[in-house]
Amino acid sequence: MKVLVPVKRVVDYNVKVRVKSDNSGVDIANVKMSMNPFCEIAVEEAVRLKEKGVVTEIIAVSAGITQCQETLRNAMAIGADRAILIETDVDLQPLAVAKLLKAVVDKEQPRLVILGKQAIDDDANQTGQMLAALLGWGQATFASKVEVAGDVATVTREMDGGLETISLKLPAIITTDLRLNEPRYATLPNIMKAKKKELAIVKPADLGVDVAPRLTTLRVDEPPKRQGGVKVADVAALIDKLKNEAKVI
Amino acid sequence: MANLVIAEHDHGSLKAATLNVISAATAIGGDVHVLVAGHNASAAASAAAQVAGVSKVILADGAAHGNLLSENAAAQVVANAASYTHILAAATAYGKSVAPRVAALLDKAQISDIIKVIDADTFVRPIYAGNAYATVKSNDSVKVLTVRGTAFAPAATSGGTGTVESVDCVADSGVSSFVSAEVTKSERPELTAAKIIVSGGRGLGSGDKYREVLTPLADKLGAALGASRAAVDAGYVPNDYQVGQTGKIVAPDLYIAIGMSGAIQHLAGMKDSKVIVAINKDPDAPIFGVADYGLVADLFEAVPELVAKI
Ligand SMILES: Cc1cc2nc3c(=O)[nH]c(=O)nc-3n(C[C@H](O)[C@H](O)[C@H](O)COP(=O)(O)OP(=O)(O)OC[C@H]3O[C@@H](n4cnc5c(N)ncnc54)[C@H](O)[C@@H]3O)c2cc1C
Ligand SMILES: Cc1cc2nc3c(=O)[nH]c(=O)nc-3n(C[C@H](O)[C@H](O)[C@H](O)COP(=O)(O)OP(=O)(O)OC[C@H]3O[C@@H](n4cnc5c(N)ncnc54)[C@H](O)[C@@H]3O)c2cc1C
C-alpha cells in the first residue's frame, strides 16, 4: 500500500516573527525554516506503518518554492522513499494546495494520505479536510492513534471533550495531532541516503490546477501588546491585588 | 446577505461555542439561520430558535447525524447552502473538521479562526501563533468562516423568535463510522467558557502532584483546569486540557499559570485573558512578560498558601 505525506516548509517554531513596518506581511527573510512539526509527525507515522509491514512505499510531496526541496530531503531522511515538489512562487492557499494534492493522488493512487492537522505559520487547519472532500474520502482529523488492518483504518482523535475513535474505509485521509508519535531524528547516514533518493519536480500547470489566490491579505498588524512584567512580593500581596485592584476574585 | 451557522450540539442542547458564532454572523449582518444536523435533535433546534438574532433554524434530523460524523455533516450543509453568502462554524474540533470540507465541496476558500468582522468580505485572523493579525479579504461569492469564540461575546440564549424548518437528512457517506468515545468527565466549567482558569505546566512534576496541588485551588475559585502541552505530553492530564496555539484558545477573566515557562505556543492560547497571574520559581521565565501579577516562588509552597489565605 502506498501512502502520500504532504509536508510544508514553515518558519521554525522557535522563531518569533516580526510584522514588517509597512504592514505588508511578516518578515521571514533570513529566519530559520523547518518542516512543519505536524508534518514531521505525519512522516514518522508513515514510516512506522512501513516498519509494521502495512505500507510499502512512502511518497512525500510539497508545494511551494524551490527551497521546499530541503523539506522533502528531510522527509526522505526520516524514511520517505521518494518525493515530489510541486514548484510555484505563488502564495498557495489551502484550497489550491488541496487541488494540487488531489491531482497527485489521482496519479499515484495512494490508499492513505497523512497530513499535519495544521501548519504552524498560517494555522489554517484546512488542507486535509479539503483534500478529503475533493476526493470524496473519509477523514480522521487530530489523530492520536492510528491502526491499519486490511481495508480499514481505526483512528483515535483528540476532541474538545476527550477522545473519539472512528473507523475509516480506505482510501482515506488522516491529519496528525501532537500525541500521535515522537518523530525520530534523521541520522547522518540516512541524511546521506536521502540525497540519492528520487525527487521529481512538477508545475501546477502540469497538473492542470489553477492556484490563483481567492483571498487577499490587505494588511498584517502587530497584535496589541500586554503590559506585563509586574511582580508581587508574596502570596498575601498577590491576594490583595486580585481582590482590590483587579477585582477578579 | 444571509448567514448559515453550523450548530454544534449534542442533539439535546446547543454547545456554548455556537452562541459566539451567532454573534459573529450578526456582526456580518443580514439574516442569521442555524443548521442543526443531528439525530433526535429537536431539543437542540428549539434551543437554537430561541437565541437572540436567529430568524430560522433548519433541522436535518436523521440517523446519519447520530454520531456527528464530518462527512455527513458537510454533505448536509452543502445540500442546504444554496441561498447563503456566509457559512460559519466555531473554530472547535467539530467546526474545524466540517467547515473546510464544506468549503472544498463549494469550491470556496475558507478563512479560519476569525477574530473580527471588518465588513461582509473582510475579516481579521491571527497567524504565526498570534504574533501577527492578518486582515484578509475574500474574493469568493460565498465566504466559509470559522470563528474564534473568545473574540465574540456569546449571543443571548433567549429573546429569539426563530422558526424551525425540517429538511431531509442526507444519506450516510459510508466512508467513516463511529467506534467509541472516551469523554473526560468533569464537574468543572468548560475550559473555553470558564471565568477563571488554573493552569499547570511541567513544573508540577507528575499527574498526582498536578491534582494534589491544583485541585484545591480550582475548587476554591470555581475554576476550570488547564495545562501546557508539556503537562499533557507527560500524561499529567488528558489532551483536552491543553491550552495554546495547537490546543484550546481561552480568554477568562483570570488565568493562573503555575509552573509553566510561557512558550510562544502556550501564550498564543491565553494571552487575551483579562488578568494573568504567573507563579514560577525562575524570575526570568517568559511567562512573567505577559503576567499582570508575577510571583517568583516555589509552587509547592506558594499554591497551598494561596489556597489557605484566599
Ligand atoms: C511568508 C508567507 C506569506 C504568505 N502570504 C500569504 C498571503 O498574503 N495570503 C495568503 O492567502 N496566503 C499567504 N501565504 C500562504 C499561507 O500562509 C499558507 O501557506 C496557506 O494558506 C496554507 O495554509 P496552511 O499551511 O496553514 O494549511 P493547513 O491546512 O494548516 O496545513 C495542514 C497540512 O496540509 C499540508 N500542506 C499545507 N500546505 C502544504 C504545501 N504547500 N505543500 C505540501 N503540503 C502542505 C501539510 O501536511 C500541513 O501540515 C503565505 C505564506 C507564507 C509562508
Ligand atoms: C508544533 C508545536 C505545537 C505546540 N503547541 C503547544 C500548545 O498548544 N500549548 C502549549 O502549552 N505548548 C505547545 N507547544 C510546546 C511549547 O513549545 C512548550 O514546550 C511547552 O508549552 C512547555 O510547557 P511548560 O511551560 O509546562 O514546560 P517548561 O517549559 O519545561 O516549563 C516549566 C516551568 O516550570 C517552572 N518550575 C519548575 N519547578 C517549579 C516549582 N517547583 N515552582 C515553580 N515553578 C517551577 C520552571 O521554572 C519552568 O519555567 C508546542 C510545541 C510545538 C513544537
Side-chain angles (χ1 to χ4, degrees), chain B residues 121-146:
Chain B
D121 304 318
T122 315
F123 308 89
V124 179
R125 63 174 304 257
I127 52 175
Y128 289 94
N131 286 309
Y133 287 174
T135 303
V136 182
K137 186 177 188 318
S138 167
N139 311 318
D140 280 331
S141 55
V142 177
K143 282 76 170 149
V144 179
L145 310 165
T146 62

Side-chain angles (χ1 to χ4, degrees), chain B:
Chain B
M1 243 166 1
N3 299 278
L4 182 65
V5 170
I6 306 172
E8 188 160 344
H9 62 88
D10 60 5
H11 311 284
S13 63
L14 213 53
K15 289 267 162 80
T18 304
L19 302 173
N20 309 94
V21 183
I22 290 170
S23 292
T26 305
I28 291 168
D31 283 338
V32 178
H33 296 178
V34 176
L35 174 73
V36 175
H39 189 35
N40 299 326
S42 55
S46 346
Q50 282 156 35
V51 176
V54 174
S55 57
K56 184 162 101 182
V57 175
I58 300 169
L59 173 61
D61 207 308
H65 297 309
N67 293 306
L68 306 173
L69 293 166
S70 314
E71 294 83 355
N72 298 339
Q76 189 72 56
V77 176
V78 171
N80 298 280
S83 53
Y84 297 98
T85 52
H86 295 76
I87 298 174
L88 303 93
T92 52
Y94 177 76
K96 286 191 245 187
S97 298
V98 176
R101 262 193 103 95
V102 171
L105 292 172
L106 296 174
D107 193 26
K108 304 295 180 228
Q110 174 185 304
I111 304 182
S112 298
D113 227 6
I114 63 163
I115 56 171
K116 195 170 168 190
V117 175
I118 307 277
D119 60 39
D121 304 318
T122 315
F123 308 89
V124 179
R125 63 174 304 257
I127 52 175
Y128 289 94
N131 286 309
Y133 287 174
T135 303
V136 182
K137 186 177 188 318
S138 167
N139 311 318
D140 280 331
S141 55
V142 177
K143 282 76 170 149
V144 179
L145 310 165
T146 62
V147 175
R148 178 172 289 197
T150 54
F152 296 89
T157 50
S158 62
T161 50
T163 51
V164 178
E165 178 188 310
S166 286
V167 295
D168 289 341
C169 175
V170 294
D172 181 54
S173 73
V175 292
S176 68
S177 58
F178 174 81
V179 176
S180 63
E182 203 178 297
V183 179
T184 305
K185 288 208 181 61
S186 169
E187 308 287 295
R188 297 181 189 286
E190 220 179 298
L191 249 187
T192 49
K195 293 246 179 294
I196 302 180
I197 295 174
V198 170
S199 197
R202 183 150 38 200
L204 269 307
S206 71
D208 287 343
K209 283 286 172 202
Y210 178 100
R211 283 179 289 278
E212 183 188 318
V213 177
L214 299 192
T215 310
L217 182 59
D219 285 345
K220 202 131 189 194
L221 295 171
L225 282 168
S228 69
R229 175 193 172 180
V232 177
D233 281 3
Y236 302 177
V237 288
N239 65 279
D240 52 302
Y241 280 48
Q242 183 181 317
V243 171
Q245 179 190 10
T246 63
K248 284 185 182 156
I249 309 289
V250 301
D253 292 343
L254 174 60
Y255 188 90
I256 308 181
I258 299 170
M260 55 173 68
S261 59
I264 302 174
Q265 293 85 7
H266 190 80
L267 301 183
M270 45 65 83
K271 71 181 166 52
D272 292 330
S273 305
K274 240 182 244 156
V275 175
I276 296 174
V277 168
I279 302 176
N280 194 306
K281 66 179 180 189
D282 171 8
D284 298 323
I287 189 75
F288 287 124
V290 301
D292 300 285
Y293 306 112
L295 178 62
V296 180
D298 186 326
L299 73 91
F300 296 106
E301 288 161 20
V303 178
E305 189 184 339
L306 190 58
V307 174
K309 291 186 177 162
I310 238 166

